[in-house]
Amino acid sequence: MFDALSDRLQSALGDLRGRGKLDEEAISRAMREIRLALLEADVNFEVVKDFVAQVRERALGQEVLKSITPGQQVVKAVHEELTELMGAGSSKLVFTGRPPTVILLAGLQGSGKTTAAAKLALLLRKEGRTPALVAADLQRPAAIDQLEQLGRQIQVPVYREDGSDPVRVVRNGIERLAADGADTVILDTAGRLHVDEELMEELERVRDASKPANVLLVLDAMTGQEAVNVALAFQERVAFDGVVLTKLDGDARGGAALSVKAVTGRPIKLISVGEKVDQLEYFHPDRMASRILGMGDVLTLIERAEQAVEEDEQKELEARMLKGQFSFDDFLKSYRMIRRMGSIGGLVKLIPGLGKQLEGLDDIDEKQFARVEAIILSMTPEERSLPKVIDGSRRQRIAGGSGTSVEEVNRLLEGRKEMEKLMKGISRGKLPELPGAPKQPQRKATKSNKRKKRSKTRR
Ligand SMILES: Nc1nc2c(ncn2[C@@H]2O[C@H](COP(=O)(O)OP(=O)(O)OP(=O)(O)O)[C@@H](O)[C@H]2O)c(=O)[nH]1
Ligand SMILES: [Mg+2]
């Protein structure tokens, strides 16, 4: 998904990422690269212009945070701007108080309406709803059979009726399916090769007859900017509430996903990422931005760090660690800090590549934390500030005093060392190496290599 764009953006930002300081020129160069990357991905020209201006403003205007480098801060700005571009708003569907909720799918021929209808039915059923389908595409005789077959496959009822008036079919279908217990009725409509008067008229009539709570426009992501033009043409006649973007598994360049919200004002609500019936997902702009930037969930980590760590507390710790001091008092403090951010296991999992290394930390729970605390509190002030004086006999004494074992004390001593390394890295803005993150030029991976690596970090 968006491989080329992803590569381009990542290399544009890779140069900045490691830098401790950012000058005007480095930022300008990165902005130029970002601009080119987006244009090549077929993103609307006006959208690109605004985007770059916004990122620059955001990057320069940001408060300097201690926990990340200026370079990472630009990455963060790009991420935030990408998220906003794709629609910071909600992607939720509207469900009416009085069933059935009607969802109308419209779109050009081959955009993926019929398959999306079935996929959506399956998705909604998994959420506990009782969906049903109406075959309202009477243009192609095979269309009805296609929907019926999909309905059988996912065990969702399909209403069909012979004839040539889709309005009739839709009216009868909704009434009948609702009477049979459906709370959500999805309408599959006819497509045309191009946006034309006939199609729009039919859609208007179907819409007026069915009063859908959601009109979703199905767009083929592979068609890039053309998809956005189609969206604009539809919008003039049949106002839609959101977009279903299909075929994102192909080599879509990303233009549609990145422009459609900005150009039409309507959000992408669902994305289809394959031909199988379970390959429809709700769209999350922030996650998509992360995927495009190849960042895993490190952003979540940075955000949590921002929320949880009070500046001066962190500064004080940082100053001590930079001096190579990391006492057990500091250990206790940072331990408590990390706990405020969430469970250690959960936190570790957010750092790509680190989870495996620190697997043991995964199940630290309240009880274990109390034991760790007891061990540290059993140390003398000297031992806490100068851990290396803790020899064998002291270990035994500490174990006895805290009601733990020498092994546990040993483990904690080791843990402190590990923690020191980890905290030092984080405090200097050196987040652990990210798989799939922008690569340093000297470590250029081969194309296939890259792909392998990236696909591992994607979800
Ligand atoms: N790879 C891939 N193929 C898809 C996706 N969505 C749909 N397709 C394929 O695209 C083709 C057209 O899909 P349909 O659902 O029949 O499209 P439609 O909009 O109903 O087409 P008409 O009924 O002719 O207007 C089918 O072969 C689908 O399997 C997707 O997300 N990924
Ligand atoms: Mg169809």
Side-chain angles (χ1 to χ4, degrees), residues 118-175:
K119 288 169 179 171
L120 182 56
L122 183 62
L123 188 67
L124 294 175
R125 205 190 53 204
K126 282 183 187 158
E127 289 172 6
R129 298 187 185 274
T130 313
L133 295 155
V134 174
D137 175 0
L138 307 177
Q139 297 288 323
R140 282 194 308 122
I144 299 177
D145 295 337
Q146 186 194 357
L147 191 69
E148 224 170 22
Q149 202 177 343
L150 285 164
R152 259 199 308 277
Q153 192 188 336
I154 58 172
Q155 297 181 322
V156 165
V158 174
Y159 180 84
R160 69 177 293 171
E161 185 181 319
D162 291 329
S164 59
D165 182 11
V167 170
R168 228 183 99 89
V169 173
V170 161
R171 268 211 196 102
N172 292 342
I174 293 173
E175 198 184 305

Side-chain angles (χ1 to χ4, degrees), residues 209-226:
S210 62
K211 311 226 162 16
N214 306 269
V215 177
L216 300 180
L217 180 62
V218 180
L219 293 175
D220 178 345
M222 303 279 287
T223 59
Q225 263 202 73
E226 185 47 31

Side-chain angles (χ1 to χ4, degrees), residues 240-355:
F240 56 92
D241 305 299
V243 166
V244 181
L245 199 59
T246 63
K247 309 189 195 178
L248 275 174
D249 52 317
D251 58 353
R253 285 183 288 172
L258 294 176
S259 329
V260 78
K261 167 78 195 308
V263 174
T264 67
R266 295 287 178 269
I268 298 169
K269 297 208 173 197
L270 294 148
I271 54 174
S272 171
V273 294
E275 291 190 88
K276 297 209 191 82
V277 280
D278 60 355
Q279 288 180 311
L280 185 80
E281 309 167 358
Y282 287 106
F283 180 64
H284 299 285
D286 52 341
R287 288 185 212 165
M288 183 59 79
S290 298
R291 278 198 219 178
I292 291 174
L293 293 174
M295 335 185 69
D297 264 341
V298 171
L299 286 151
T300 313
L301 180 72
I302 291 173
E303 264 152 34
R304 283 210 215 156
E306 281 171 8
Q307 285 160 13
V309 180
E310 283 153 36
E311 283 256 349
D312 30 340
E313 198 177 348
Q314 158 127 2
K315 262 193 200 129
E316 194 193 304
L317 250 180
E318 206 178 283
R320 293 178 54 76
M321 283 187 292
L322 286 176
K323 280 192 234 149
Q325 297 168 337
F326 192 72
S327 68
F328 269 112
D329 289 317
D330 298 327
F331 183 99
L332 207 54
K333 223 184 268 169
S334 59
Y335 207 98
R336 284 173 177 158
M337 221 157 70
I338 285 186
R339 280 172 49 81
R340 272 213 307 276
M341 294 187 215
S343 85
I344 293 187
L347 210 75
V348 163
K349 281 198 203 105
L350 294 175
I351 308 176
L354 210 68

Side-chain angles (χ1 to χ4, degrees), residues 23-39:
D23 47 52
E24 190 63 32
E25 210 211 296
I27 293 190
S28 294
R29 199 171 340 116
M31 293 306 138
R32 255 195 319 273
E33 286 291 312
I34 290 172
R35 192 171 153 271
L36 282 175
L38 293 172
L39 287 174

Side-chain angles (χ1 to χ4, degrees), residues 272 299 368 428 440:
S272 171
L299 286 151
Q368 278 170 294
R428 286 187 187 153
Q440 302 304 316

